[in-house]
């Protein structure tokens, strides 16, 4: 039986950090950040907030939108690069906080493509009968892995969580998923640190080759959207809403231009959220659903790209 999205939800930490506030900490400016990235502000988690807390807020919203209770959930997948702890998984911690014990729960680590990967896996598990009501969450606290003295990275990211509930459906909702990775590009975006012998070894902060990431992202986001359209015998005219990973407005605009999708059909939240990695696509999806832009019967193209490098698409009918 095919699966469809029955509800979406979001959670953003209360504290907002503006570009001007960052400009008081490092040598940057609101003008530089806005023109290079489209980012105006980002949310930052409180010191006692964990990724699973953000995930809980988004999951609660998605379950309410789907008119389901935590006890109805029989699969939880959390896409995150910033888990609460080394193990158990943030999905298991979320499951306990929700009160939804019993079904499988696990994390997916595909960095900014994590949500697309997780949604593809959940779709196959629901359509294959392994689960009925699946909760798929993208949740991140990037503020924990940023070097706040490095202006080239600290201005780009934010914290947040987005979630969807997938259920079986007579009519197909998820139409296709295509996933890719190329580990040869592992060094252009990474956090090259590890927990070893009781301490952190290596660098526990985001390191990035900005221009290499930019070129790679635009190339594969457009390619993977085309791959999905070809597989579904559709054209770009059949994308009512394009929701790319919200890394940077210039990457998103260049992708839309390459695809021939007008900017008016791109859902963008990067101005308010910055890059929230695995949370960015579900946060934008929830924004588009809640403000009424995404309507029943429309076609939505989700395209993700992130460290690894990883990339992928999920094409769906709302
Ligand atoms: N404020 C002011 N100046 C800065 C800042 C800052 N925050 N950061 C870098 N600069 C300086 C640099 O030091 C450099 O100075 P120099 O010329 O004296 O050496 C100058 O600005 C220009 O730097 P560039 O890197 O050439 O600037 P560019 O226009 O390429 O923009 C950016 C940099 C925004 C990082 C760009 O490369 C980009 O968008 N890359 C994509 C990276 C991205 O979005 N990553 C997110 C994660 S990736 C993902 O999610 C898949």
């Amino acid at each position: 039986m095919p699966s469809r999205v029955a509800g979406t939800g979001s959670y953003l930490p209360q504290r907002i950090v503006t570009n001007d506030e960052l400009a008081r900490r490092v040598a940057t400016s609101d003008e530089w950040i806005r023109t290079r990235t489209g980012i105006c502000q980002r949310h930052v988690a409180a010191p006692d907030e964990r990724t699973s807390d953000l995930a809980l807020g988004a999951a609660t919203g998605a379950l309410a939108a789907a008119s389901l209770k935590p006890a109805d959930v029989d699969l939880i997948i959390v896409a995150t690069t910033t888990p609460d702890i080394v193990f158990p998984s943030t999905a298991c911690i979320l499951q306990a906080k929700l009160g939804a014990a019993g079904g499988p729960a696990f994390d997916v680590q595909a960095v900014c493509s994590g949500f697309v990967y997780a949604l593809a896996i959940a779709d196959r598990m629901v359509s294959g009968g392994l689960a009925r009501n699946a909760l798929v969450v993208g949740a991140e606290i990037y503020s924990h892995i940023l070097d706040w003295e490095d202006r080239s990275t600290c201005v780009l990211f934010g914290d947040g969580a987005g979630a969807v509930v997938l259920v079986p459906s007579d009519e197909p909702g998820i139409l296709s998923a295509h996933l890719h990775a190329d580990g040869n590009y592992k060094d252009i975006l990474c956090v090259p640190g590890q927990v070893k012998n009781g301490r952190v070894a290596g660098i526990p902060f985001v390191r990035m080759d900005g221009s290499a990431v930019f070129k790679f992202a635009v190339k594969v986001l457009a390619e993977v959207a085309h791959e999905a359209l070809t597989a579904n015998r559709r054209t770009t005219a059949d994308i009512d809403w394009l929701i790319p990973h919200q890394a940077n407005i210039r990457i998103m605009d260049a992708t839309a231009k390459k695809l021939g999708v007008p900017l008016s059909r791109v859902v963008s939240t990067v101005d308010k959220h910055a890059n929230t990695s695995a949370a960015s696509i579900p946060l934008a999806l929830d924004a588009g659903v809640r403000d009424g832009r995404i309507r029943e019967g429309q076609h939505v193209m989700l395209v993700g790209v992130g460290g690894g490098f990883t990339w992928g698409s999920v094409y769906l009918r709302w």
Side-chain angles (χ1 to χ4, degrees), residues 98-136:
L98 260 179
F106 58 93
D107 288 359
V108 164
Q109 159 59 301
V111 201
C112 306
S113 311
F115 182 76
V116 165
Y117 267 59
L119 194 55
I121 296 164
D123 168 57
R124 293 308 186 272
M125 290 181 73
V126 171
S127 58
L130 269 173
R132 199 168 164 77
N133 301 316
L135 186 57
V136 186

mmCIF file of all heavy atoms in Angstrom, residues 98-136:
data_model
loop_
_atom_site.group_PDB
_atom_site.id
_atom_site.type_symbol
_atom_site.label_atom_id
_atom_site.label_comp_id
_atom_site.label_asym_id
_atom_site.label_seq_id
_atom_site.Cartn_x
_atom_site.Cartn_y
_atom_site.Cartn_z
ATOM 1 N N LEU A 98 7.986 10.783 24.066
ATOM 2 C CA LEU A 98 6.625 10.820 23.492
ATOM 3 C C LEU A 98 5.691 9.849 24.214
ATOM 4 O O LEU A 98 4.479 10.069 24.245
ATOM 5 C CB LEU A 98 6.679 10.377 22.024
ATOM 6 C CG LEU A 98 6.674 11.387 20.905
ATOM 7 C CD1 LEU A 98 6.762 10.661 19.561
ATOM 8 C CD2 LEU A 98 5.458 12.293 20.936
ATOM 9 N N GLY A 99 6.253 8.741 24.732
ATOM 10 C CA GLY A 99 5.412 7.679 25.279
ATOM 11 C C GLY A 99 4.855 6.837 24.152
ATOM 12 O O GLY A 99 3.638 6.669 24.027
ATOM 13 N N ALA A 100 5.753 6.353 23.272
ATOM 14 C CA ALA A 100 5.308 5.608 22.083
ATOM 15 C C ALA A 100 6.111 4.315 21.940
ATOM 16 O O ALA A 100 6.495 3.931 20.840
ATOM 17 C CB ALA A 100 5.473 6.481 20.836
ATOM 18 N N ALA A 101 6.390 3.632 23.063
ATOM 19 C CA ALA A 101 7.282 2.464 23.039
ATOM 20 C C ALA A 101 6.703 1.307 22.232
ATOM 21 O O ALA A 101 5.501 1.155 22.127
ATOM 22 C CB ALA A 101 7.567 2.009 24.458
ATOM 23 N N GLY A 102 7.618 0.485 21.671
ATOM 24 C CA GLY A 102 7.202 -0.765 21.025
ATOM 25 C C GLY A 102 7.711 -0.937 19.617
ATOM 26 O O GLY A 102 8.319 -1.945 19.291
ATOM 27 N N GLY A 103 7.496 0.044 18.759
ATOM 28 C CA GLY A 103 7.938 -0.060 17.361
ATOM 29 C C GLY A 103 9.407 0.283 17.221
ATOM 30 O O GLY A 103 10.033 0.748 18.172
ATOM 31 N N PRO A 104 9.987 0.039 16.047
ATOM 32 C CA PRO A 104 11.387 0.390 15.832
ATOM 33 C C PRO A 104 11.629 1.891 15.878
ATOM 34 O O PRO A 104 10.747 2.680 15.525
ATOM 35 C CB PRO A 104 11.704 -0.162 14.441
ATOM 36 C CG PRO A 104 10.382 -0.325 13.769
ATOM 37 C CD PRO A 104 9.364 -0.543 14.848
ATOM 38 N N ALA A 105 12.807 2.269 16.345
ATOM 39 C CA ALA A 105 13.202 3.684 16.396
ATOM 40 C C ALA A 105 14.691 3.748 16.130
ATOM 41 O O ALA A 105 15.464 3.019 16.755
ATOM 42 C CB ALA A 105 12.883 4.274 17.764
ATOM 43 N N PHE A 106 15.100 4.575 15.190
ATOM 44 C CA PHE A 106 16.529 4.698 14.879
ATOM 45 C C PHE A 106 16.820 6.027 14.212
ATOM 46 O O PHE A 106 15.923 6.688 13.686
ATOM 47 C CB PHE A 106 17.010 3.534 13.989
ATOM 48 C CG PHE A 106 16.269 3.397 12.682
ATOM 49 C CD1 PHE A 106 16.739 3.997 11.529
ATOM 50 C CD2 PHE A 106 15.105 2.656 12.601
ATOM 51 C CE1 PHE A 106 16.073 3.861 10.311
ATOM 52 C CE2 PHE A 106 14.412 2.512 11.394
ATOM 53 C CZ PHE A 106 14.898 3.116 10.245
ATOM 54 N N ASP A 107 18.108 6.406 14.264
ATOM 55 C CA ASP A 107 18.552 7.651 13.621
ATOM 56 C C ASP A 107 19.105 7.374 12.230
ATOM 57 O O ASP A 107 19.633 6.282 11.966
ATOM 58 C CB ASP A 107 19.675 8.319 14.443
ATOM 59 C CG ASP A 107 19.173 8.931 15.739
ATOM 60 O OD1 ASP A 107 17.960 8.860 16.010
ATOM 61 O OD2 ASP A 107 20.023 9.481 16.488
ATOM 62 N N VAL A 108 19.017 8.388 11.396
ATOM 63 C CA VAL A 108 19.653 8.362 10.076
ATOM 64 C C VAL A 108 20.657 9.503 10.035
ATOM 65 O O VAL A 108 20.328 10.637 10.382
ATOM 66 C CB VAL A 108 18.593 8.530 8.960
ATOM 67 C CG1 VAL A 108 19.253 8.890 7.636
ATOM 68 C CG2 VAL A 108 17.769 7.268 8.805
ATOM 69 N N GLN A 109 21.890 9.186 9.633
ATOM 70 C CA GLN A 109 22.946 10.203 9.564
ATOM 71 C C GLN A 109 23.329 10.412 8.100
ATOM 72 O O GLN A 109 24.090 9.636 7.533
ATOM 73 C CB GLN A 109 24.127 9.742 10.435
ATOM 74 C CG GLN A 109 25.471 10.350 10.143
ATOM 75 C CD GLN A 109 25.525 11.852 10.275
ATOM 76 O OE1 GLN A 109 24.802 12.583 9.613
ATOM 77 N NE2 GLN A 109 26.407 12.322 11.143
ATOM 78 N N ALA A 110 22.737 11.404 7.479
ATOM 79 C CA ALA A 110 23.110 11.760 6.104
ATOM 80 C C ALA A 110 23.243 13.274 6.016
ATOM 81 O O ALA A 110 22.999 13.873 4.973
ATOM 82 C CB ALA A 110 22.105 11.228 5.105
ATOM 83 N N VAL A 111 23.562 13.889 7.149
ATOM 84 C CA VAL A 111 23.767 15.333 7.291
ATOM 85 C C VAL A 111 22.556 16.074 6.698
ATOM 86 O O VAL A 111 21.428 15.729 7.046
ATOM 87 C CB VAL A 111 25.145 15.772 6.727
ATOM 88 C CG1 VAL A 111 25.572 17.128 7.312
ATOM 89 C CG2 VAL A 111 26.220 14.732 7.106
ATOM 90 N N CYS A 112 22.765 17.048 5.824
ATOM 91 C CA CYS A 112 21.622 17.877 5.389
ATOM 92 C C CYS A 112 20.651 17.127 4.479
ATOM 93 O O CYS A 112 19.543 17.595 4.241
ATOM 94 C CB CYS A 112 22.116 19.152 4.706
ATOM 95 S SG CYS A 112 23.272 20.087 5.721
ATOM 96 N N SER A 113 21.055 15.949 3.949
ATOM 97 C CA SER A 113 20.120 15.124 3.171
ATOM 98 C C SER A 113 19.357 14.161 4.078
ATOM 99 O O SER A 113 18.573 13.340 3.594
ATOM 100 C CB SER A 113 20.866 14.267 2.143
ATOM 101 O OG SER A 113 21.764 15.024 1.392
ATOM 102 N N GLY A 114 19.589 14.214 5.369
ATOM 103 C CA GLY A 114 19.055 13.217 6.291
ATOM 104 C C GLY A 114 17.551 13.062 6.242
ATOM 105 O O GLY A 114 17.026 11.937 6.290
ATOM 106 N N PHE A 115 16.828 14.173 6.110
ATOM 107 C CA PHE A 115 15.369 14.057 6.129
ATOM 108 C C PHE A 115 14.863 13.330 4.882
ATOM 109 O O PHE A 115 13.962 12.495 4.961
ATOM 110 C CB PHE A 115 14.703 15.433 6.244
ATOM 111 C CG PHE A 115 13.208 15.322 6.308
ATOM 112 C CD1 PHE A 115 12.574 14.921 7.477
ATOM 113 C CD2 PHE A 115 12.424 15.572 5.185
ATOM 114 C CE1 PHE A 115 11.182 14.778 7.533
ATOM 115 C CE2 PHE A 115 11.043 15.439 5.227
ATOM 116 C CZ PHE A 115 10.424 15.046 6.401
ATOM 117 N N VAL A 116 15.452 13.635 3.732
ATOM 118 C CA VAL A 116 15.044 12.976 2.483
ATOM 119 C C VAL A 116 15.356 11.471 2.577
ATOM 120 O O VAL A 116 14.537 10.629 2.203
ATOM 121 C CB VAL A 116 15.739 13.662 1.286
ATOM 122 C CG1 VAL A 116 15.649 12.826 0.038
ATOM 123 C CG2 VAL A 116 15.111 15.031 1.027
ATOM 124 N N TYR A 117 16.534 11.140 3.097
ATOM 125 C CA TYR A 117 16.880 9.723 3.307
ATOM 126 C C TYR A 117 15.847 9.059 4.247
ATOM 127 O O TYR A 117 15.366 7.971 3.968
ATOM 128 C CB TYR A 117 18.274 9.617 3.945
ATOM 129 C CG TYR A 117 19.446 9.466 3.007
ATOM 130 C CD1 TYR A 117 19.730 10.407 2.026
ATOM 131 C CD2 TYR A 117 20.311 8.382 3.119
ATOM 132 C CE1 TYR A 117 20.828 10.281 1.188
ATOM 133 C CE2 TYR A 117 21.416 8.236 2.279
ATOM 134 C CZ TYR A 117 21.672 9.190 1.324
ATOM 135 O OH TYR A 117 22.770 9.061 0.500
ATOM 136 N N ALA A 118 15.552 9.720 5.363
ATOM 137 C CA ALA A 118 14.658 9.128 6.372
ATOM 138 C C ALA A 118 13.247 8.944 5.814
ATOM 139 O O ALA A 118 12.585 7.925 6.070
ATOM 140 C CB ALA A 118 14.634 10.017 7.619
ATOM 141 N N LEU A 119 12.787 9.930 5.047
ATOM 142 C CA LEU A 119 11.438 9.844 4.466
ATOM 143 C C LEU A 119 11.369 8.698 3.458
ATOM 144 O O LEU A 119 10.373 7.966 3.398
ATOM 145 C CB LEU A 119 11.111 11.185 3.790
ATOM 146 C CG LEU A 119 9.662 11.455 3.398
ATOM 147 C CD1 LEU A 119 8.713 11.312 4.578
ATOM 148 C CD2 LEU A 119 9.528 12.853 2.781
ATOM 149 N N ALA A 120 12.431 8.521 2.679
ATOM 150 C CA ALA A 120 12.476 7.429 1.695
ATOM 151 C C ALA A 120 12.417 6.073 2.410
ATOM 152 O O ALA A 120 11.681 5.170 1.993
ATOM 153 C CB ALA A 120 13.749 7.536 0.857
ATOM 154 N N ILE A 121 13.157 5.941 3.508
ATOM 155 C CA ILE A 121 13.171 4.670 4.262
ATOM 156 C C ILE A 121 11.794 4.419 4.876
ATOM 157 O O ILE A 121 11.238 3.317 4.792
ATOM 158 C CB ILE A 121 14.255 4.702 5.365
ATOM 159 C CG1 ILE A 121 15.651 4.811 4.749
ATOM 160 C CG2 ILE A 121 14.163 3.478 6.266
ATOM 161 C CD1 ILE A 121 16.738 5.225 5.745
ATOM 162 N N ALA A 122 11.222 5.464 5.487
ATOM 163 C CA ALA A 122 9.905 5.313 6.136
ATOM 164 C C ALA A 122 8.845 4.944 5.102
ATOM 165 O O ALA A 122 7.974 4.095 5.358
ATOM 166 C CB ALA A 122 9.534 6.609 6.854
ATOM 167 N N ASP A 123 8.922 5.557 3.925
ATOM 168 C CA ASP A 123 7.950 5.246 2.865
ATOM 169 C C ASP A 123 8.011 3.769 2.511
ATOM 170 O O ASP A 123 6.972 3.099 2.405
ATOM 171 C CB ASP A 123 8.246 6.105 1.635
ATOM 172 C CG ASP A 123 7.483 5.625 0.415
ATOM 173 O OD1 ASP A 123 6.238 5.568 0.496
ATOM 174 O OD2 ASP A 123 8.122 5.280 -0.609
ATOM 175 N N ARG A 124 9.258 3.245 2.360
ATOM 176 C CA ARG A 124 9.385 1.821 2.005
ATOM 177 C C ARG A 124 8.891 0.935 3.146
ATOM 178 O O ARG A 124 8.325 -0.123 2.913
ATOM 179 C CB ARG A 124 10.833 1.486 1.665
ATOM 180 C CG ARG A 124 11.359 2.142 0.405
ATOM 181 C CD ARG A 124 10.424 1.897 -0.798
ATOM 182 N NE ARG A 124 10.985 2.391 -2.043
ATOM 183 C CZ ARG A 124 10.834 3.643 -2.496
ATOM 184 N NH1 ARG A 124 10.116 4.521 -1.834
ATOM 185 N NH2 ARG A 124 11.376 4.010 -3.644
ATOM 186 N N MET A 125 9.104 1.342 4.385
ATOM 187 C CA MET A 125 8.656 0.520 5.521
ATOM 188 C C MET A 125 7.137 0.526 5.645
ATOM 189 O O MET A 125 6.522 -0.498 5.932
ATOM 190 C CB MET A 125 9.334 0.991 6.814
ATOM 191 C CG MET A 125 10.831 0.661 6.820
ATOM 192 S SD MET A 125 11.687 1.160 8.329
ATOM 193 C CE MET A 125 11.081 -0.063 9.502
ATOM 194 N N VAL A 126 6.518 1.682 5.397
ATOM 195 C CA VAL A 126 5.044 1.745 5.473
ATOM 196 C C VAL A 126 4.442 1.002 4.279
ATOM 197 O O VAL A 126 3.535 0.173 4.443
ATOM 198 C CB VAL A 126 4.548 3.217 5.515
ATOM 199 C CG1 VAL A 126 3.036 3.292 5.362
ATOM 200 C CG2 VAL A 126 4.983 3.888 6.819
ATOM 201 N N SER A 127 4.969 1.261 3.083
ATOM 202 C CA SER A 127 4.365 0.615 1.909
ATOM 203 C C SER A 127 4.642 -0.890 1.904
ATOM 204 O O SER A 127 3.862 -1.660 1.359
ATOM 205 C CB SER A 127 4.818 1.276 0.608
ATOM 206 O OG SER A 127 6.203 1.236 0.509
ATOM 207 N N GLY A 128 5.722 -1.316 2.570
ATOM 208 C CA GLY A 128 6.016 -2.739 2.662
ATOM 209 C C GLY A 128 5.330 -3.426 3.835
ATOM 210 O O GLY A 128 5.550 -4.614 4.068
ATOM 211 N N GLY A 129 4.544 -2.703 4.617
ATOM 212 C CA GLY A 129 3.794 -3.306 5.716
ATOM 213 C C GLY A 129 4.586 -3.473 7.002
ATOM 214 O O GLY A 129 4.115 -4.075 7.959
ATOM 215 N N LEU A 130 5.810 -2.926 7.069
ATOM 216 C CA LEU A 130 6.616 -3.043 8.293
ATOM 217 C C LEU A 130 6.163 -2.048 9.364
ATOM 218 O O LEU A 130 6.542 -2.162 10.526
ATOM 219 C CB LEU A 130 8.084 -2.760 7.972
ATOM 220 C CG LEU A 130 8.951 -3.961 7.604
ATOM 221 C CD1 LEU A 130 10.317 -3.491 7.146
ATOM 222 C CD2 LEU A 130 9.093 -4.906 8.787
ATOM 223 N N ALA A 131 5.441 -1.023 8.953
ATOM 224 C CA ALA A 131 4.943 -0.023 9.917
ATOM 225 C C ALA A 131 3.648 0.554 9.356
ATOM 226 O O ALA A 131 3.387 0.477 8.151
ATOM 227 C CB ALA A 131 5.972 1.088 10.096
ATOM 228 N N ARG A 132 2.866 1.142 10.276
ATOM 229 C CA ARG A 132 1.607 1.742 9.826
ATOM 230 C C ARG A 132 1.668 3.264 9.925
ATOM 231 O O ARG A 132 1.514 3.955 8.936
ATOM 232 C CB ARG A 132 0.464 1.174 10.686
ATOM 233 C CG ARG A 132 -0.856 1.352 10.039
ATOM 234 C CD ARG A 132 -2.003 0.605 10.639
ATOM 235 N NE ARG A 132 -3.218 1.232 10.100
ATOM 236 C CZ ARG A 132 -3.671 1.027 8.877
ATOM 237 N NH1 ARG A 132 -3.068 0.163 8.080
ATOM 238 N NH2 ARG A 132 -4.750 1.674 8.454
ATOM 239 N N ASN A 133 1.930 3.751 11.108
ATOM 240 C CA ASN A 133 1.999 5.206 11.303
ATOM 241 C C ASN A 133 3.429 5.584 11.666
ATOM 242 O O ASN A 133 3.888 5.338 12.776
ATOM 243 C CB ASN A 133 1.048 5.642 12.413
ATOM 244 C CG ASN A 133 -0.390 5.272 12.096
ATOM 245 O OD1 ASN A 133 -0.858 5.457 10.970
ATOM 246 N ND2 ASN A 133 -1.094 4.710 13.078
ATOM 247 N N ALA A 134 4.127 6.182 10.720
ATOM 248 C CA ALA A 134 5.557 6.474 10.912
ATOM 249 C C ALA A 134 5.759 7.951 11.194
ATOM 250 O O ALA A 134 5.168 8.812 10.543
ATOM 251 C CB ALA A 134 6.338 6.076 9.668
ATOM 252 N N LEU A 135 6.611 8.218 12.166
ATOM 253 C CA LEU A 135 6.994 9.592 12.487
ATOM 254 C C LEU A 135 8.405 9.803 11.957
ATOM 255 O O LEU A 135 9.330 9.059 12.315
ATOM 256 C CB LEU A 135 6.962 9.729 14.009
ATOM 257 C CG LEU A 135 7.190 11.085 14.634
ATOM 258 C CD1 LEU A 135 6.190 12.107 14.133
ATOM 259 C CD2 LEU A 135 7.065 10.937 16.156
ATOM 260 N N VAL A 136 8.555 10.782 11.080
ATOM 261 C CA VAL A 136 9.873 11.072 10.480
ATOM 262 C C VAL A 136 10.247 12.497 10.867
ATOM 263 O O VAL A 136 9.510 13.445 10.574
ATOM 264 C CB VAL A 136 9.832 10.941 8.944
ATOM 265 C CG1 VAL A 136 11.238 11.099 8.368
ATOM 266 C CG2 VAL A 136 9.223 9.612 8.523
#
